[in-house]
Amino acid sequence: MLYVRTSYGEDAEPVIDQLRNRAEARRWTVDRVIHDQVSMGAGPPSTPECWPGWRTVRDLITNRWVHGVLAPDRSDISTDDTLYVRELRCIAADGAFTALLTRESVPLRTLRCRLEARGVGWRQIAAQLLLVLAVGAAVPSLLLSTFTP
């Protein structure tokens, strides 16, 4: 089965396509695609049990309807290391596997999820980045005009 978790308004299809391609390359049969949309704004991060899709994943595995789950990144399962490991252990205890598109040691969205869990959204990050770029672009010309005879 394929599982992806996105924020509201984020298009999941490109990620689902990547998951399908990986599954096909490994000759895995994909019986189900589960997609959770969650609010990734202010407030504490929620646990995997809070996501209806992930509960479905666990139920299907527990009841032996599927043999494994392929997710894009570990942060799709949980951004909390303890909860992530707990989920992996539960799935393995049920005789199933968990696979990721990204390497285990390189979570793609962990920084994003950590920032959003602290109430820092992409708009705030973009505004700060633009401010840093603007100041960075202005400083050399200020220095040159100050020291030019």
Side-chain angles (χ1 to χ4, degrees), residues 22-72:
R22 176 67 59 90
E24 288 173 7
R26 292 188 175 181
R27 298 177 191 227
W28 293 338
T29 302
V30 176
D31 291 333
R32 311 212 187 216
V33 176
I34 309 290
H35 174 215
D36 271 325
Q37 285 190 327
V38 296
S39 174
M40 292 192 177
S46 56
T47 61
E49 298 88 22
C50 295
W51 309 319
W54 187 253
R55 285 195 312 265
T56 300
V57 167
R58 292 291 308 281
D59 288 343
L60 291 168
I61 288 172
T62 300
N63 292 313
R64 310 279 197 265
W65 288 97
V66 296
H67 302 287
V69 59
L70 174 59

Side-chain angles (χ1 to χ4, degrees), residues 9-147:
E10 186 179 351
D11 186 12
E13 286 308 311
V15 179
I16 291 171
D17 289 342
Q18 289 177 343
L19 292 170
R20 278 191 195 283
N21 291 338
R22 176 67 59 90
E24 288 173 7
R26 292 188 175 181
R27 298 177 191 227
W28 293 338
T29 302
V30 176
D31 291 333
R32 311 212 187 216
V33 176
I34 309 290
H35 174 215
D36 271 325
Q37 285 190 327
V38 296
S39 174
M40 292 192 177
S46 56
T47 61
E49 298 88 22
C50 295
W51 309 319
W54 187 253
R55 285 195 312 265
T56 300
V57 167
R58 292 291 308 281
D59 288 343
L60 291 168
I61 288 172
T62 300
N63 292 313
R64 310 279 197 265
W65 288 97
V66 296
H67 302 287
V69 59
L70 174 59
D73 184 77
R74 66 182 284 165
S75 61
D76 285 88
I77 297 170
S78 181
T79 57
D80 180 283
D81 291 338
T82 303
L83 296 177
Y84 173 71
V85 170
R86 183 192 68 191
E87 292 303 310
L88 294 184
R89 286 184 177 152
C90 288
I91 289 170
D94 285 333
F97 70 88
T98 305
L100 305 172
L101 283 179
T102 59
R103 292 178 47 188
E104 181 81 26
S105 60
V106 187
L108 289 177
R109 296 191 300 205
T110 300
L111 176 61
R112 172 184 156 192
C113 291
R114 286 181 183 166
L115 289 171
E116 288 177 340
R118 290 178 175 86
V120 179
W122 281 113
R123 288 189 180 122
Q124 290 91 348
I125 294 168
Q128 291 295 319
L129 183 59
L130 287 174
L131 178 63
V132 168
L133 291 173
V135 169
V139 168
S141 54
L142 287 173
L143 289 174
L144 285 174
S145 67
T146 304
F147 294 111

